[in-house]
Amino acid sequence: MFRRLISYIAIFIATRRPVPPLIPTSPPGDRKNNIYMLRLREGSEVRFVASGRPIRQGLEGFWFSSISSGGLKCVLLRSSISDFSLEFEHYYQGFHFTYRSSLTFLLHYLSRFAFFYKMYEHLAQRRFNRTKLVRRDRMRVLQYIQEQTLADRAFQVSTTSLMTDLFSRRWVSHPKQAHEGTYYEFVLRSLADEGNLVKASHSYSLAPKALQTLSEYEEDNRRHRTTLRVQIILAALTSALIVIGIPQAVAAAIQAYQFFVGS
């Protein structure tokens, strides 16, 4: 009984305002959204979408016999609602929340979760905008693409997906997003021009030559580290010899001074 009551309250809240024919999902139209949508599911299939307030008989909306078929306008009887699982969607000022629990939906509604989530995201974005987008060089980008391809052979990358993977979706609103986007576009182009990537439309995939390129790069890095290690050892030995030789040089200088002054 309690569970059904919670469901009815959640349905009433979600259907208070009629759903518009088209819901804006991109800026700037989505910034004014505060829209609830109620769907009724039968397993994984959406069977009914509410379109207005509850009426005496039940819910007005559209019935879908299959995913490919268009919705038929109908009234879902009140007694039939319990035969389906409820799914609530909230489109709020650029954000989208999905709930499959009436209680969770109701608690988020009462606590104004969407409002506070928006405020948190706004503050987090402002903080992110003050940070510098640290660039990855060409080889590090190629290494990243190789790692992803080894995990998923169908992996493809574009400028936007690469930057999202590196910096999260917040890069889109960063003041330097256009500047850095151009940089990574040139990085991908240059790797493709050298045969390390294969371009298909607006995305890139790893080419076999990349394995050789990365192998040579790692070998060069190994040699560089070896050379650097040798230089550090030589510098340390030189410093040690200097430290050991300083007392001898001082002693020789004192003896020379005493000899000449004494003579």
Side-chain angles (χ1 to χ4, degrees):
M1 182 66 182
F2 176 76
R3 185 175 181 180
R4 180 172 294 184
L5 177 62
I6 293 296
S7 296
Y8 284 154
I9 294 174
I11 289 172
F12 177 77
I13 292 172
T15 57
R16 284 189 308 169
R17 293 188 296 271
V19 178
L22 183 64
I23 299 176
T25 56
S26 58
D30 65 340
R31 297 296 184 257
K32 297 180 180 179
N33 283 344
N34 190 11
I35 301 166
Y36 295 105
M37 179 179 287
L38 171 63
R39 292 190 176 97
L40 277 70
R41 288 181 170 270
E42 187 178 40
S44 61
E45 302 287 338
V46 175
R47 292 301 182 202
F48 183 81
V49 177
S51 61
R53 289 175 175 269
I55 59 176
R56 183 182 297 274
Q57 295 86 350
L59 289 173
E60 291 185 321
F62 297 90
W63 177 266
F64 297 85
S65 57
S66 66
I67 297 177
S68 59
S69 64
L72 299 176
K73 194 170 184 179
C74 69
V75 174
L76 183 68
L77 298 179
R78 188 188 302 270
S79 59
S80 300
I81 294 176
S82 59
D83 297 335
F84 302 90
S85 59
L86 305 180
E87 179 180 87
F88 304 88
E89 288 193 271
H90 187 193
Y91 296 85
Y92 182 78
Q93 298 185 10
F95 297 93
H96 177 216
F97 307 93
T98 301
Y99 305 95
R100 294 191 176 179
S101 164
S102 299
L103 180 60
T104 302
F105 170 77
L106 188 58
L107 291 175
H108 279 206
Y109 170 79
L110 294 174
S111 64
R112 300 189 68 190
F113 172 82
F115 170 78
F116 289 108
Y117 184 86
K118 176 197 168 185
M119 294 298 296
Y120 164 78
E121 285 292 313
H122 178 69
L123 294 174
Q125 184 67 53
R126 288 184 61 183
R127 181 179 180 183
F128 179 81
N129 289 349
R130 291 195 295 268
T131 63
K132 182 179 179 180
L133 300 180
V134 180
R135 288 182 178 177
R136 273 68 167 178
D137 61 32
R138 296 168 66 256
M139 288 299 102
R140 289 185 65 188
V141 170
L142 189 59
Q143 285 175 329
Y144 169 77
I145 296 174
Q146 181 194 40
E147 291 170 0
Q148 298 302 312
T149 303
L150 292 176
D152 177 11
R153 295 183 61 180
F155 177 76
Q156 292 187 334
V157 66
S158 64
T159 304
T160 54
S161 67
L162 176 63
M163 293 187 66
T164 300
D165 291 343
L166 295 178
F167 306 113
S168 81
R169 289 179 297 176
R170 297 191 192 281
W171 75 267
V172 176
S173 299
H174 195 281
K176 294 289 186 179
Q177 58 91 6
H179 189 269
E180 297 302 315
T182 301
Y183 167 77
Y184 283 105
E185 182 180 352
F186 279 119
V187 167
L188 293 175
R189 280 188 190 178
S190 67
L191 291 172
D193 290 343
E194 293 174 356
N196 295 301
L197 298 179
V198 177
K199 185 175 182 181
S201 186
H202 299 291
S203 60
Y204 299 83
S205 57
L206 193 71
K209 184 185 175 184
L211 300 179
Q212 177 184 349
T213 301
L214 288 173
S215 178
E216 293 173 352
Y217 172 72
E218 291 172 0
E219 179 63 22
D220 289 341
N221 273 346
R222 187 189 64 78
R223 291 174 182 171
H224 174 71
R225 289 193 298 269
T226 301
T227 302
L228 185 62
R229 197 157 45 239
V230 170
Q231 291 176 346
I232 292 174
I233 293 173
L234 290 176
L237 289 174
T238 302
S239 300
L241 290 174
I242 292 174
V243 171
I244 294 173
I246 285 176
Q248 297 177 354
V250 170
I254 292 174
Q255 290 177 358
Y257 174 78
Q258 291 175 342
F259 176 78
F260 287 108
V261 171
S263 61

Tab-separated table of all heavy atoms in Angstrom, residues 15-63:
chain	number	residue	atom	x	y	z
A	15	THR	N	3.509	14.518	-13.801
A	15	THR	CA	2.546	14.845	-14.866
A	15	THR	C	1.816	16.155	-14.603
A	15	THR	O	0.769	16.424	-15.215
A	15	THR	CB	1.513	13.706	-15.012
A	15	THR	OG1	0.854	13.488	-13.752
A	15	THR	CG2	2.196	12.425	-15.463
A	16	ARG	N	2.338	16.981	-13.715
A	16	ARG	CA	1.662	18.247	-13.418
A	16	ARG	C	1.641	19.196	-14.604
A	16	ARG	O	0.698	19.940	-14.804
A	16	ARG	CB	2.345	18.943	-12.227
A	16	ARG	CG	2.016	18.320	-10.897
A	16	ARG	CD	2.532	19.164	-9.770
A	16	ARG	NE	3.943	19.488	-9.941
A	16	ARG	CZ	4.601	20.379	-9.206
A	16	ARG	NH1	3.964	21.051	-8.249
A	16	ARG	NH2	5.890	20.602	-9.399
A	17	ARG	N	2.729	19.163	-15.399
A	17	ARG	CA	2.813	20.039	-16.572
A	17	ARG	C	2.834	19.187	-17.830
A	17	ARG	O	3.568	18.185	-17.874
A	17	ARG	CB	4.065	20.906	-16.508
A	17	ARG	CG	4.049	21.927	-15.391
A	17	ARG	CD	5.235	22.883	-15.516
A	17	ARG	NE	6.501	22.189	-15.364
A	17	ARG	CZ	7.113	22.004	-14.198
A	17	ARG	NH1	6.552	22.444	-13.089
A	17	ARG	NH2	8.266	21.359	-14.136
A	18	PRO	N	2.091	19.580	-18.861
A	18	PRO	CA	2.109	18.810	-20.114
A	18	PRO	C	3.511	18.805	-20.723
A	18	PRO	O	4.231	19.807	-20.685
A	18	PRO	CB	1.121	19.560	-21.013
A	18	PRO	CG	0.273	20.371	-20.082
A	18	PRO	CD	1.155	20.703	-18.925
A	19	VAL	N	3.902	17.674	-21.283
A	19	VAL	CA	5.197	17.565	-21.946
A	19	VAL	C	5.108	18.235	-23.315
A	19	VAL	O	4.185	17.930	-24.085
A	19	VAL	CB	5.604	16.084	-22.108
A	19	VAL	CG1	6.932	15.985	-22.840
A	19	VAL	CG2	5.688	15.411	-20.757
A	20	PRO	N	6.031	19.148	-23.649
A	20	PRO	CA	5.978	19.794	-24.966
A	20	PRO	C	6.273	18.799	-26.078
A	20	PRO	O	6.908	17.763	-25.838
A	20	PRO	CB	7.066	20.867	-24.880
A	20	PRO	CG	8.004	20.372	-23.837
A	20	PRO	CD	7.161	19.633	-22.843
A	21	PRO	N	5.817	19.089	-27.304
A	21	PRO	CA	6.081	18.168	-28.425
A	21	PRO	C	7.567	17.935	-28.662
A	21	PRO	O	7.969	16.856	-29.072
A	21	PRO	CB	5.425	18.873	-29.617
A	21	PRO	CG	4.422	19.807	-29.010
A	21	PRO	CD	4.990	20.229	-27.714
A	22	LEU	N	8.377	18.966	-28.423
A	22	LEU	CA	9.822	18.859	-28.623
A	22	LEU	C	10.542	19.414	-27.409
A	22	LEU	O	10.306	20.556	-27.007
A	22	LEU	CB	10.249	19.624	-29.883
A	22	LEU	CG	11.727	19.551	-30.262
A	22	LEU	CD1	12.110	18.109	-30.599
A	22	LEU	CD2	12.031	20.466	-31.445
A	23	ILE	N	11.427	18.608	-26.823
A	23	ILE	CA	12.189	19.038	-25.650
A	23	ILE	C	13.571	19.483	-26.110
A	23	ILE	O	14.326	18.676	-26.669
A	23	ILE	CB	12.328	17.899	-24.631
A	23	ILE	CG1	10.950	17.448	-24.149
A	23	ILE	CG2	13.177	18.343	-23.441
A	23	ILE	CD1	10.995	16.258	-23.210
A	24	PRO	N	13.941	20.753	-25.895
A	24	PRO	CA	15.289	21.206	-26.284
A	24	PRO	C	16.353	20.460	-25.472
A	24	PRO	O	16.251	20.370	-24.251
A	24	PRO	CB	15.287	22.702	-25.940
A	24	PRO	CG	13.852	23.072	-25.773
A	24	PRO	CD	13.149	21.842	-25.309
A	25	THR	N	17.341	19.923	-26.149
A	25	THR	CA	18.404	19.172	-25.453
A	25	THR	C	19.785	19.756	-25.698
A	25	THR	O	20.784	19.155	-25.337
A	25	THR	CB	18.395	17.698	-25.895
A	25	THR	OG1	18.527	17.630	-27.322
A	25	THR	CG2	17.103	17.017	-25.465
A	26	SER	N	19.864	20.921	-26.325
A	26	SER	CA	21.154	21.564	-26.572
A	26	SER	C	21.010	23.057	-26.328
A	26	SER	O	19.895	23.604	-26.427
A	26	SER	CB	21.633	21.289	-28.009
A	26	SER	OG	20.684	21.738	-28.950
A	27	PRO	N	22.133	23.743	-26.018
A	27	PRO	CA	22.076	25.189	-25.756
A	27	PRO	C	21.633	25.934	-27.007
A	27	PRO	O	21.891	25.487	-28.124
A	27	PRO	CB	23.527	25.535	-25.374
A	27	PRO	CG	24.153	24.223	-25.023
A	27	PRO	CD	23.467	23.199	-25.866
A	28	PRO	N	20.992	27.104	-26.819
A	28	PRO	CA	20.623	27.700	-25.520
A	28	PRO	C	19.245	27.284	-25.030
A	28	PRO	O	18.853	27.619	-23.921
A	28	PRO	CB	20.639	29.196	-25.842
A	28	PRO	CG	20.194	29.256	-27.283
A	28	PRO	CD	20.748	28.019	-27.952
A	29	GLY	N	18.497	26.557	-25.877
A	29	GLY	CA	17.129	26.203	-25.508
A	29	GLY	C	17.010	25.371	-24.254
A	29	GLY	O	16.069	25.532	-23.464
A	30	ASP	N	17.973	24.461	-24.032
A	30	ASP	CA	17.868	23.567	-22.871
A	30	ASP	C	18.118	24.276	-21.552
A	30	ASP	O	17.841	23.719	-20.493
A	30	ASP	CB	18.833	22.390	-23.025
A	30	ASP	CG	20.294	22.823	-23.002
A	30	ASP	OD1	20.565	24.012	-23.246
A	30	ASP	OD2	21.163	21.967	-22.752
A	31	ARG	N	18.630	25.511	-21.592
A	31	ARG	CA	18.898	26.232	-20.351
A	31	ARG	C	17.617	26.673	-19.642
A	31	ARG	O	17.648	27.069	-18.479
A	31	ARG	CB	19.762	27.468	-20.650
A	31	ARG	CG	21.145	27.139	-21.221
A	31	ARG	CD	21.977	26.376	-20.218
A	31	ARG	NE	23.337	26.131	-20.682
A	31	ARG	CZ	23.774	24.981	-21.150
A	31	ARG	NH1	22.955	23.951	-21.206
A	31	ARG	NH2	25.025	24.829	-21.551
A	32	LYS	N	16.489	26.613	-20.340
A	32	LYS	CA	15.213	27.011	-19.737
A	32	LYS	C	14.361	25.800	-19.348
A	32	LYS	O	13.244	25.966	-18.878
A	32	LYS	CB	14.439	27.891	-20.717
A	32	LYS	CG	15.149	29.205	-21.059
A	32	LYS	CD	14.320	30.031	-22.025
A	32	LYS	CE	15.031	31.334	-22.372
A	32	LYS	NZ	14.238	32.151	-23.334
A	33	ASN	N	14.858	24.615	-19.541
A	33	ASN	CA	14.089	23.404	-19.257
A	33	ASN	C	13.819	23.209	-17.771
A	33	ASN	O	14.681	23.464	-16.931
A	33	ASN	CB	14.835	22.155	-19.762
A	33	ASN	CG	14.732	21.989	-21.257
A	33	ASN	OD1	13.898	22.605	-21.906
A	33	ASN	ND2	15.581	21.145	-21.811
A	34	ASN	N	12.626	22.768	-17.476
A	34	ASN	CA	12.277	22.203	-16.165
A	34	ASN	C	11.083	21.286	-16.421
A	34	ASN	O	9.954	21.570	-16.054
A	34	ASN	CB	11.943	23.282	-15.158
A	34	ASN	CG	11.810	22.725	-13.750
A	34	ASN	OD1	12.163	21.573	-13.488
A	34	ASN	ND2	11.281	23.517	-12.836
A	35	ILE	N	11.375	20.178	-17.088
A	35	ILE	CA	10.340	19.319	-17.655
A	35	ILE	C	10.460	17.910	-17.095
A	35	ILE	O	11.561	17.360	-17.012
A	35	ILE	CB	10.464	19.264	-19.197
A	35	ILE	CG1	10.335	20.675	-19.789
A	35	ILE	CG2	9.424	18.330	-19.802
A	35	ILE	CD1	10.764	20.756	-21.230
A	36	TYR	N	9.321	17.344	-16.704
A	36	TYR	CA	9.270	15.959	-16.270
A	36	TYR	C	8.608	15.120	-17.360
A	36	TYR	O	7.638	15.553	-17.984
A	36	TYR	CB	8.472	15.809	-14.978
A	36	TYR	CG	9.095	16.488	-13.787
A	36	TYR	CD1	8.566	17.683	-13.298
A	36	TYR	CD2	10.198	15.933	-13.153
A	36	TYR	CE1	9.138	18.314	-12.199
A	36	TYR	CE2	10.767	16.557	-12.056
A	36	TYR	CZ	10.234	17.743	-11.591
A	36	TYR	OH	10.793	18.363	-10.511
A	37	MET	N	9.115	13.920	-17.570
A	37	MET	CA	8.500	12.975	-18.493
A	37	MET	C	8.348	11.641	-17.781
A	37	MET	O	9.272	11.178	-17.110
A	37	MET	CB	9.348	12.800	-19.752
A	37	MET	CG	8.767	11.791	-20.741
A	37	MET	SD	9.770	11.615	-22.240
A	37	MET	CE	9.384	13.162	-23.046
A	38	LEU	N	7.173	11.055	-17.937
A	38	LEU	CA	6.875	9.767	-17.303
A	38	LEU	C	6.718	8.708	-18.381
A	38	LEU	O	5.920	8.864	-19.310
A	38	LEU	CB	5.596	9.863	-16.474
A	38	LEU	CG	5.053	8.533	-15.927
A	38	LEU	CD1	6.047	7.895	-14.971
A	38	LEU	CD2	3.693	8.753	-15.264
A	39	ARG	N	7.482	7.632	-18.251
A	39	ARG	CA	7.360	6.483	-19.141
A	39	ARG	C	6.978	5.254	-18.332
A	39	ARG	O	7.436	5.092	-17.197
A	39	ARG	CB	8.684	6.211	-19.873
A	39	ARG	CG	9.092	7.269	-20.873
A	39	ARG	CD	10.273	6.750	-21.690
A	39	ARG	NE	10.677	7.658	-22.741
A	39	ARG	CZ	11.670	8.540	-22.639
A	39	ARG	NH1	12.359	8.602	-21.508
A	39	ARG	NH2	11.974	9.332	-23.642
A	40	LEU	N	6.196	4.407	-18.930
A	40	LEU	CA	5.853	3.126	-18.320
A	40	LEU	C	6.459	2.020	-19.168
A	40	LEU	O	6.253	1.983	-20.388
A	40	LEU	CB	4.331	2.946	-18.218
A	40	LEU	CG	3.667	3.608	-16.999
A	40	LEU	CD1	3.683	5.120	-17.135
A	40	LEU	CD2	2.237	3.101	-16.813
A	41	ARG	N	7.229	1.149	-18.522
A	41	ARG	CA	7.965	0.108	-19.232
A	41	ARG	C	7.393	-1.277	-18.932
A	41	ARG	O	6.927	-1.545	-17.822
A	41	ARG	CB	9.441	0.132	-18.832
A	41	ARG	CG	10.216	1.306	-19.391
A	41	ARG	CD	11.673	1.242	-18.977
A	41	ARG	NE	12.487	2.222	-19.684
A	41	ARG	CZ	13.088	1.988	-20.837
A	41	ARG	NH1	12.983	0.797	-21.405
A	41	ARG	NH2	13.804	2.913	-21.428
A	42	GLU	N	7.529	-2.118	-19.936
A	42	GLU	CA	7.237	-3.537	-19.783
A	42	GLU	C	8.527	-4.273	-20.105
A	42	GLU	O	8.876	-4.465	-21.255
A	42	GLU	CB	6.116	-3.957	-20.727
A	42	GLU	CG	5.641	-5.386	-20.509
A	42	GLU	CD	4.494	-5.731	-21.439
A	42	GLU	OE1	4.530	-5.335	-22.620
A	42	GLU	OE2	3.557	-6.399	-20.966
A	43	GLY	N	9.263	-4.620	-19.070
A	43	GLY	CA	10.605	-5.157	-19.270
A	43	GLY	C	11.517	-4.044	-19.772
A	43	GLY	O	11.625	-2.987	-19.157
A	44	SER	N	12.166	-4.272	-20.910
A	44	SER	CA	13.061	-3.269	-21.479
A	44	SER	C	12.362	-2.376	-22.498
A	44	SER	O	12.959	-1.447	-23.031
A	44	SER	CB	14.256	-3.957	-22.150
A	44	SER	OG	13.812	-4.812	-23.204
A	45	GLU	N	11.066	-2.648	-22.770
A	45	GLU	CA	10.321	-1.913	-23.790
A	45	GLU	C	9.495	-0.790	-23.165
A	45	GLU	O	8.836	-0.990	-22.132
A	45	GLU	CB	9.389	-2.849	-24.563
A	45	GLU	CG	10.092	-4.006	-25.248
A	45	GLU	CD	10.880	-3.561	-26.464
A	45	GLU	OE1	10.560	-2.489	-27.002
A	45	GLU	OE2	11.819	-4.280	-26.856
A	46	VAL	N	9.538	0.398	-23.785
A	46	VAL	CA	8.667	1.492	-23.373
A	46	VAL	C	7.300	1.268	-24.011
A	46	VAL	O	7.181	1.188	-25.235
A	46	VAL	CB	9.238	2.858	-23.809
A	46	VAL	CG1	8.246	3.978	-23.487
A	46	VAL	CG2	10.571	3.121	-23.132
A	47	ARG	N	6.267	1.156	-23.178
A	47	ARG	CA	4.918	0.901	-23.689
A	47	ARG	C	4.034	2.139	-23.682
A	47	ARG	O	3.130	2.272	-24.509
A	47	ARG	CB	4.244	-0.193	-22.865
A	47	ARG	CG	4.838	-1.560	-23.025
A	47	ARG	CD	4.780	-2.005	-24.463
A	47	ARG	NE	5.305	-3.359	-24.642
A	47	ARG	CZ	5.741	-3.815	-25.794
A	47	ARG	NH1	5.722	-3.034	-26.866
A	47	ARG	NH2	6.212	-5.040	-25.887
A	48	PHE	N	4.298	3.045	-22.748
A	48	PHE	CA	3.394	4.190	-22.609
A	48	PHE	C	4.183	5.414	-22.169
A	48	PHE	O	5.062	5.322	-21.307
A	48	PHE	CB	2.302	3.869	-21.578
A	48	PHE	CG	1.272	4.948	-21.401
A	48	PHE	CD1	0.216	5.081	-22.280
A	48	PHE	CD2	1.390	5.845	-20.350
A	48	PHE	CE1	-0.720	6.085	-22.105
A	48	PHE	CE2	0.455	6.847	-20.157
A	48	PHE	CZ	-0.609	6.968	-21.044
A	49	VAL	N	3.847	6.562	-22.777
A	49	VAL	CA	4.444	7.845	-22.393
A	49	VAL	C	3.319	8.785	-22.032
A	49	VAL	O	2.434	9.068	-22.865
A	49	VAL	CB	5.289	8.446	-23.531
A	49	VAL	CG1	5.842	9.815	-23.113
A	49	VAL	CG2	6.426	7.506	-23.918
A	50	ALA	N	3.310	9.260	-20.788
A	50	ALA	CA	2.249	10.172	-20.337
A	50	ALA	C	2.417	11.529	-21.002
A	50	ALA	O	3.537	12.003	-21.215
A	50	ALA	CB	2.296	10.303	-18.818
A	51	SER	N	1.284	12.166	-21.284
A	51	SER	CA	1.331	13.461	-21.972
A	51	SER	C	0.623	14.575	-21.218
A	51	SER	O	0.560	15.705	-21.684
A	51	SER	CB	0.699	13.341	-23.369
A	51	SER	OG	-0.661	12.949	-23.265
A	52	GLY	N	0.058	14.273	-20.065
A	52	GLY	CA	-0.640	15.317	-19.316
A	52	GLY	C	-1.001	14.866	-17.920
A	52	GLY	O	-0.566	13.818	-17.439
A	53	ARG	N	-1.835	15.663	-17.255
A	53	ARG	CA	-2.248	15.358	-15.891
A	53	ARG	C	-3.085	14.074	-15.826
A	53	ARG	O	-3.759	13.725	-16.802
A	53	ARG	CB	-3.071	16.513	-15.326
A	53	ARG	CG	-2.268	17.764	-15.016
A	53	ARG	CD	-3.209	18.868	-14.578
A	53	ARG	NE	-2.497	20.069	-14.162
A	53	ARG	CZ	-2.110	20.308	-12.922
A	53	ARG	NH1	-2.345	19.411	-11.981
A	53	ARG	NH2	-1.474	21.414	-12.616
A	54	PRO	N	-3.068	13.407	-14.687
A	54	PRO	CA	-3.952	12.245	-14.531
A	54	PRO	C	-5.418	12.671	-14.592
A	54	PRO	O	-5.787	13.768	-14.165
A	54	PRO	CB	-3.595	11.714	-13.141
A	54	PRO	CG	-2.250	12.289	-12.833
A	54	PRO	CD	-2.198	13.610	-13.516
A	55	ILE	N	-6.246	11.844	-15.166
A	55	ILE	CA	-7.682	12.078	-15.193
A	55	ILE	C	-8.356	10.972	-14.378
A	55	ILE	O	-7.696	10.074	-13.854
A	55	ILE	CB	-8.220	12.100	-16.647
A	55	ILE	CG1	-7.913	10.767	-17.352
A	55	ILE	CG2	-7.624	13.270	-17.419
A	55	ILE	CD1	-8.483	10.684	-18.749
A	56	ARG	N	-9.677	11.037	-14.271
A	56	ARG	CA	-10.401	10.087	-13.426
A	56	ARG	C	-10.138	8.634	-13.840
A	56	ARG	O	-9.966	7.749	-13.008
A	56	ARG	CB	-11.897	10.383	-13.479
A	56	ARG	CG	-12.734	9.494	-12.579
A	56	ARG	CD	-14.201	9.826	-12.726
A	56	ARG	NE	-14.463	11.186	-12.295
A	56	ARG	CZ	-14.713	11.546	-11.038
A	56	ARG	NH1	-14.728	10.622	-10.083
A	56	ARG	NH2	-14.942	12.801	-10.720
A	57	GLN	N	-10.108	8.418	-15.168
A	57	GLN	CA	-9.936	7.049	-15.650
A	57	GLN	C	-8.504	6.535	-15.507
A	57	GLN	O	-8.272	5.333	-15.394
A	57	GLN	CB	-10.352	6.956	-17.124
A	57	GLN	CG	-11.821	7.205	-17.376
A	57	GLN	CD	-12.113	8.705	-17.542
A	57	GLN	OE1	-11.242	9.541	-17.288
A	57	GLN	NE2	-13.326	9.014	-17.966
A	58	GLY	N	-7.513	7.447	-15.594
A	58	GLY	CA	-6.116	7.025	-15.530
A	58	GLY	C	-5.176	8.081	-16.089
A	58	GLY	O	-5.262	9.249	-15.710
A	59	LEU	N	-4.318	7.675	-17.020
A	59	LEU	CA	-3.319	8.582	-17.581
A	59	LEU	C	-3.522	8.750	-19.080
A	59	LEU	O	-3.694	7.759	-19.804
A	59	LEU	CB	-1.903	8.037	-17.335
A	59	LEU	CG	-1.368	8.065	-15.918
A	59	LEU	CD1	-0.030	7.326	-15.863
A	59	LEU	CD2	-1.199	9.492	-15.422
A	60	GLU	N	-3.493	10.004	-19.522
A	60	GLU	CA	-3.517	10.268	-20.949
A	60	GLU	C	-2.099	10.208	-21.486
A	60	GLU	O	-1.155	10.647	-20.823
A	60	GLU	CB	-4.121	11.639	-21.243
A	60	GLU	CG	-5.601	11.738	-20.971
A	60	GLU	CD	-6.172	13.075	-21.381
A	60	GLU	OE1	-5.472	14.098	-21.172
A	60	GLU	OE2	-7.288	13.117	-21.907
A	61	GLY	N	-1.968	9.680	-22.695
A	61	GLY	CA	-0.638	9.606	-23.281
A	61	GLY	C	-0.641	8.840	-24.578
A	61	GLY	O	-1.649	8.794	-25.296
A	62	PHE	N	0.513	8.214	-24.868
A	62	PHE	CA	0.688	7.504	-26.125
A	62	PHE	C	1.146	6.073	-25.853
A	62	PHE	O	2.066	5.850	-25.062
A	62	PHE	CB	1.710	8.222	-27.013
A	62	PHE	CG	1.272	9.605	-27.417
A	62	PHE	CD1	1.603	10.711	-26.639
A	62	PHE	CD2	0.525	9.806	-28.566
A	62	PHE	CE1	1.193	11.991	-27.001
A	62	PHE	CE2	0.117	11.065	-28.944
A	62	PHE	CZ	0.448	12.167	-28.160
A	63	TRP	N	0.501	5.142	-26.537
A	63	TRP	CA	0.810	3.722	-26.394
A	63	TRP	C	1.693	3.267	-27.551
A	63	TRP	O	1.434	3.596	-28.702
A	63	TRP	CB	-0.467	2.903	-26.358
A	63	TRP	CG	-0.216	1.426	-26.277
A	63	TRP	CD1	-0.142	0.539	-27.315
A	63	TRP	CD2	0.034	0.676	-25.092
A	63	TRP	NE1	0.130	-0.718	-26.849
A	63	TRP	CE2	0.247	-0.673	-25.488
A	63	TRP	CE3	0.092	1.000	-23.733
A	63	TRP	CZ2	0.504	-1.684	-24.571
A	63	TRP	CZ3	0.354	0.001	-22.826
A	63	TRP	CH2	0.554	-1.326	-23.233
